Amino acid sequence: MKSNMKRLLGICSLLLLIVVLMVKCKKSETVEIVPEVEEPKPTAGFTFVKPDTLKFLEYQFTGSATNYKGLLWQFGDDSTSVEVNPKHTYRFPGKYKVTLTTRNGQGYTAAKEVMLSVVDPTINYSICGENYMKTIGGKFSVNLEAGAGADSGEGSKKLVDQDINTKFLQAGFDGTQKCTFELNTPQIVGAYTLTSGNDAADRDPRFWILQGSLDGIQYTDLHTVTVCPWENTNDGPSRKQTKLFHFDNYVAYKFYRLYIKSNRGSRVFQLGEWTINKKQP
């Protein structure tokens, strides 16, 4: 009798456990799913000023974006920032596309673009000084030539032909490209121009030194650039674009040399035009 009662109680306990588990399973199957609340869409906006008129390369940007969780500034010269109100200093005068992109927590984005013209107020860009390669004359040479020779369609002579639609192209670039002009008579040079090639931006010079020499043996560094001044695009206004560079020099050198130490990473080097100029009055 007692064993039957125990058996009955055991069966009842097992049935009760099964009922409880079934109830829990049913509750878990009917959990209410709360829909995600849609966030407001982000906006992107900003203004900019030059805090100091004498520091013409320095700009203060002030953001006016709303409804964002993250943002990214792109200043058009391969520099970026995630600050709300960044201050940025450009390395060279020129035209730069400034872009502010914002994103909310659900992945929606907004962007604003502005073309910024950075101009040196002390330079009259219509007058970059006498081009001594053209007016004084001399001998031009390079240490690494185009495969088809100096007189070929993309030979070294295209670098000094006063035509921005042609270019010098040298394959197998290794960071030792030297372009040298020996003037007929020594001159004080205080400016020079470089014109980008017509295609592939990774061939543009990025790091170079302009040097001067009295005898063609010992050279003095006159001006160094370590950031590519052209936009990293294969078409548009950055192609066949002339950049003007000024520097302090009071010595009349007979030899001027452009020493290209690196480009943007290509094994091919290109440059449209090079002039050496009298310092602007």
Side-chain angles (χ1 to χ4, degrees):
M1 183 70 176
K2 287 183 179 180
S3 62
N4 291 337
M5 287 296 293
K6 286 182 178 180
R7 189 178 295 110
L8 182 59
L9 288 173
I11 293 172
C12 291
S13 299
L14 181 59
L15 291 173
L16 181 61
L17 179 60
I18 292 173
V19 171
V20 171
L21 291 174
M22 289 179 66
V23 171
K24 285 187 176 180
C25 288
K26 183 172 285 189
K27 286 184 178 180
S28 65
E29 291 174 358
T30 58
V31 173
E32 183 179 359
I33 300 176
V34 179
E36 183 180 12
V37 178
E38 185 173 333
E39 295 180 11
K41 298 296 189 299
T43 66
F46 63 89
T47 58
F48 57 88
V49 296
K50 285 187 285 188
D52 187 338
T53 55
L54 296 179
K55 298 178 179 179
F56 67 93
L57 295 170
E58 185 178 276
Y59 282 76
Q60 175 65 58
F61 296 90
T62 302
S64 58
T66 61
N67 306 325
Y68 64 91
K69 294 292 180 64
L71 58 79
L72 176 67
W73 292 88
Q74 296 169 286
F75 299 109
D77 61 350
D78 297 330
S79 298
T80 62
S81 175
V82 294
E83 296 181 16
V84 176
N85 302 310
K87 180 181 288 187
H88 183 66
T89 302
Y90 288 94
R91 297 292 300 274
F92 310 103
K95 292 185 180 295
Y96 300 93
K97 182 170 69 174
V98 180
T99 305
L100 172 63
T101 304
T102 59
R103 181 185 299 271
N104 71 3
Q106 294 175 327
Y108 290 98
T109 62
K112 179 179 180 179
E113 296 180 350
V114 170
M115 287 301 300
L116 185 67
S117 293
V118 180
V119 178
D120 185 344
T122 67
I123 295 176
N124 180 354
Y125 283 88
S126 66
I127 307 173
C128 62
E130 185 178 0
N131 176 4
Y132 287 132
M133 291 184 178
K134 181 179 179 180
T135 58
I136 303 301
K139 298 176 182 178
F140 179 68
S141 63
V142 296
N143 66 322
L144 298 173
E145 185 57 80
D151 293 307
S152 63
E154 294 183 335
S156 61
K157 289 185 179 180
K158 299 299 182 183
L159 188 59
V160 292
D161 64 354
Q162 289 89 53
D163 184 357
I164 66 170
N165 294 303
T166 63
K167 70 177 180 183
F168 168 44
L169 185 144
Q170 192 272 321
F173 176 70
D174 62 0
T176 63
Q177 183 71 55
K178 297 181 181 71
C179 306
T180 306
F181 201 88
E182 178 186 355
L183 294 171
N184 287 335
T185 56
Q187 301 293 331
I188 297 176
V189 169
Y192 65 101
T193 69
L194 295 180
T195 303
S196 59
N198 64 331
D199 56 19
D202 61 350
R203 301 173 178 177
D204 291 340
R206 182 187 65 82
F207 176 15
W208 69 82
I209 305 172
L210 182 75
Q211 302 172 316
S213 175
L214 298 172
D215 56 9
I217 300 173
Q218 293 184 320
Y219 280 85
T220 300
D221 292 352
L222 302 176
H223 188 250
T224 300
V225 173
T226 59
V227 178
C228 188
W230 296 282
E231 288 187 51
N232 192 10
T233 57
N234 292 339
D235 51 21
S238 66
R239 300 299 92 210
K240 297 190 288 187
Q241 182 185 62
T242 300
K243 295 287 187 178
L244 172 65
F245 304 91
H246 277 255
F247 58 93
D248 291 328
N249 172 43
Y250 303 97
V251 178
Y253 293 106
K254 184 174 176 62
F255 297 83
Y256 287 92
R257 183 168 75 181
L258 189 63
Y259 181 8
I260 311 294
K261 299 180 74 68
S262 72
N263 59 14
R264 279 198 174 105
S266 174
R267 289 286 294 165
V268 177
F269 164 75
Q270 71 174 7
L271 193 59
E273 193 70 21
W274 173 38
T275 71
I276 50 177
N277 309 76
K278 179 179 179 180
K279 193 177 183 107
Q280 180 179 293

